[in-house]
């Protein structure tokens, strides 16, 4: 028997889980408060960068990030073959660059840590880095080259996932906010803001930065808060032709397959404030300009804000929760696009086989149990 599953949230995570389940014959209904991709998934820079985004204290997360990166090519191929859509995966690699003595020292420390963990990185002088990427600033002193950190067009990804889910028989209900979930081991349910009650075998909470807001989760609500990110989209114009993702000390610059160049991003503790501010624009453009000066000649295409879903330990919250019948797939913070394949495949397996794979174990929602003070941000 294949199960019926209700999914709350139409970002990359909810859509990919829905697609994975529907491919196996599950009966999937996905509820999105707004339109698909309205959350962080369409705003993101789309980097698939486990190495460049490695933090010293996050080795479990690093392993999960690498595993998801490893699964990306097959995942993208499957999605593209099914839908005929191109998700704009680029494999030019990432340059982490330093523009002064302090940032060179920080980069050197990060490089030592990366090599201690056998990562695929190479130390370059400023000159060597510019030979690889001529649009780098002339004053850069050093760089770390990470050839296996790639990127994808996350907007195209969201659209392809929605198509793929519907082609496999799933239903997407846009502009249908879910107000509450009703946990139950056999037939959990959800209630929409319009008062409709829907039952199924499982309910998946993939509501991104809003995942702790649903009524009915009580002590099982994940401790998720929004971390605001402002990002600027520029339009690639001749002769500017940046090929590599460039990560500077204050900002990153990400060329996209569709001709955009994303420059970002701020990380602000501002609750759900959506404002694009002068300071946000200034910091992004200044930080980007310091490493890739040519961006200042490009037309601005968009300025946007997204909310990264951050848990208390900044790791994702994945798997069965203490609320019976409710499965969490949230808290992807800075890595949700990168983590889409592993999340979709492992959460689908968890629901279809009723097992928790070793990939999910470090990230189970129950690690926060007993820590109720943080369950719902005030
Ligand atoms: P979202 O995309 O936010 O989707 C959640 C959805 O749930 C939303 O559409 C929302 O409307 C819906 N929803 C909320 N509440 C309800 C409800 N009650 N009922 C129904 N629907 C509801 N990650 C990377 O891997 N690489 C990057 O380069 C990268 N860059 C980023 C840059 C910025 C500026 C930001 C903000 C994020 C970035 N991220 C990046 C992180 C990534 O965007 C997120 O981790 C990821 O998009 C989370 O996906 P999601 O589907 O969980 O959440
Ligand atoms: N991963 C990039 C960001 O969160 O801004």
């Amino acid at each position: 028997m294949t199960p019926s599953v209700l999914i709350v949230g139409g970002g990359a995570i909810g859509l990919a889980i829905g697609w994975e389940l529907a491919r196996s014959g599950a009966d999937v209904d996905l509820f999105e408060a707004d339109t698909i991709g309205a959350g962080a998934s369409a705003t993101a820079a789309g980097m698939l960068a486990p190495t460049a985004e490695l933090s010293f204290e996050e080795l479990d997360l690093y392993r999960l990030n690498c595993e998801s990166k490893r699964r990306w090519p097959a995942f993208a191929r499957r999605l593209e073959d099914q839908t005929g859509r191109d998700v704009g995966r680029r494999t030019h690699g990432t340059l982490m660059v330093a523009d002064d003595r302090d940032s060179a020292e920080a980069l050197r420390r990060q490089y030592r840590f990366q090599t201690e963990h056998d990562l695929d990185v190479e130390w370059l002088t400023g000159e060597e880095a510019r030979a690889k990427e001529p649009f780098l600033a002339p004053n850069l002193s050093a760089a770390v080259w990470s050839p296996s950190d790639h990127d994808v067009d996350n907007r195209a990804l969201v659209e392809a996932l929605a198509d793929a889910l519907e082609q496999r028989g799933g239903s997407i209900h846009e502009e249908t906010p879910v107000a509450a979930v009703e946990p139950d081991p056999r037939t959990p349910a959800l209630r929409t803001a319009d008062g409709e009650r829907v039952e199924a075998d499982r309910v998946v909470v993939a509501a991104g930065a809003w995942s702790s807001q649903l009524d009915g989760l009580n002590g099982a609500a994940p401790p998720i808060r929004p971390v605001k990110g402002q990002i600027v989209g520029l339009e690639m114009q001749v002769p500017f032709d940046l090929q590599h993702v460039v990560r500077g000390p204050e900002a990153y610059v990400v060329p996209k397959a569709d001709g955009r160049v994303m420059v970002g991003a701020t990380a602000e503790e501002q609750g759900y404030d959506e404002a694009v501010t002068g300071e946000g624009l200034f910091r992004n453009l200044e930080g980007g300009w310091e490493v890739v000066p040519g961006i200042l000649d490009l037309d601005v295409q968009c300025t946007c804000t997204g909310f990264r879903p951050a848990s208390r330990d900044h790791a994702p919250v994945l798997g069965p929760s203490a609320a019976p019948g409710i499965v969490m797939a949230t808290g992807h913070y800075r890595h949700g696009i990168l983590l889409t394949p592993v999340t979709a495949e492992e959460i689908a397996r968890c629901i279809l086989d009723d097992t928790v794979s070793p990939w999910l174990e470090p990230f189970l929602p129950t690690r926060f149990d007993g820590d109720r003070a943080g369950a719902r941000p005030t």
Side-chain angles (χ1 to χ4, degrees):
M1 280 277 287
T2 44
S4 56
V5 183
L6 309 176
I7 298 177
V8 186
I13 297 297
L15 289 165
I17 293 169
W19 176 48
E20 235 9 84
L21 286 165
R23 277 181 350 109
S24 302
D27 189 2
V28 176
D29 278 89
L30 182 146
F31 296 81
E32 165 53 49
D34 196 316
T35 51
I36 55 138
S41 296
T43 308
M47 291 176 284
L48 311 177
T51 301
E53 295 212 306
L54 174 63
S55 298
F56 294 108
E57 304 302 328
E58 295 181 333
L59 284 180
D60 276 339
L61 178 56
Y62 171 68
R63 279 187 274 272
L64 189 72
N65 284 347
C66 285
E67 176 60 15
S68 203
K69 173 71 205 338
R70 191 186 68 73
R71 296 185 192 194
W72 247 104
F75 178 84
R77 211 173 310 119
R78 229 173 23 242
L79 186 57
E80 291 178 337
D81 286 350
Q82 187 195 309
T83 60
R85 285 175 176 269
D86 181 351
V87 298
R89 206 168 68 85
R90 297 173 74 262
T91 56
H92 294 71
T94 296
L95 285 158
M96 295 158 262
V97 299
D99 61 357
D100 60 16
R101 218 168 133 179
D102 281 356
S103 58
E105 189 49 39
L107 192 62
R108 176 68 74 179
R109 211 168 42 242
Q110 194 185 2
Y111 174 70
R112 270 199 298 268
F113 183 66
Q114 289 164 335
T115 48
E116 275 163 25
H117 290 86
D118 288 331
L119 307 194
D120 182 16
V121 284
E122 187 185 336
W123 184 265
L124 303 179
T125 62
E127 209 174 313
E128 288 166 336
R130 271 186 302 280
K132 205 174 265 308
E133 178 50 77
F135 288 91
L136 290 179
N139 61 323
L140 297 183
S141 52
V144 172
W145 162 234
S146 171
S148 48
D149 277 353
H150 300 156
D151 62 284
V152 69
D153 181 342
N154 39 293
R155 291 192 198 173
L157 170 70
V158 164
E159 283 167 18
L161 285 169
D163 262 13
L165 169 57
E166 290 184 321
Q167 285 170 3
R168 289 290 174 264
S171 300
I172 298 176
H173 309 270
E174 291 185 297
E175 299 186 351
T176 311
V178 173
V181 293
E182 295 179 13
D184 186 274
R186 283 175 184 282
T187 45
L190 59 72
R191 226 174 345 96
T192 67
D194 288 343
E196 189 189 357
R197 185 175 182 281
V198 191
E199 281 182 357
D201 295 313
R202 287 286 179 276
V203 175
V204 178
V205 175
W210 299 268
S211 295
S212 63
Q213 306 281 305
L214 296 167
D215 281 340
L217 285 169
N218 303 320
I224 298 294
R225 70 182 198 285
V227 176
K228 173 178 173 180
Q230 298 186 52
I231 190 163
V232 185
L234 306 173
E235 213 175 296
M236 191 93 79
Q237 281 152 338
V238 180
F240 186 88
D241 186 24
L242 185 74
Q243 292 298 315
H244 300 85
V245 173
V246 179
R247 295 184 70 96
E250 306 298 337
Y252 50 71
V253 183
V254 184
K256 312 299 297 179
D258 67 357
R260 283 175 301 144
V261 182
M262 305 307 293
V263 184
T266 64
E268 305 166 62
E269 299 284 352
Q270 299 278 342
Y272 296 99
D273 171 17
E274 290 181 3
V276 174
T277 64
E279 183 182 358
L281 288 175
F282 173 71
R283 295 222 174 283
N284 283 333
L285 291 174
E286 184 189 41
W289 164 77
E290 278 168 355
V291 293
V292 183
I295 62 165
L296 287 198
D297 295 328
L298 306 182
D299 291 355
V300 175
Q301 201 222 38
C302 60
T303 56
C304 33
T305 294
F307 299 110
R308 303 177 184 88
S311 71
R312 183 159 308 128
D313 58 13
H314 289 172
V317 182
L318 304 173
S321 73
I326 313 291
V327 176
M328 295 292 163
T330 185
H332 292 80
Y333 191 40
R334 287 180 171 278
H335 313 290
I337 304 302
L338 168 62
L339 286 170
T340 294
V342 79
T343 302
E345 290 164 15
E346 298 304 325
I347 293 289
R349 190 165 307 157
C350 166
I351 290 171
L352 296 168
D353 302 347
D354 208 13
T355 54
V356 170
S357 84
W359 288 112
L360 297 185
E361 263 161 27
F363 307 105
L364 289 173
T366 43
R367 72 185 186 276
F368 297 112
D369 285 1
D371 191 8
R372 297 187 181 184
R376 188 192 278 254
T378 50

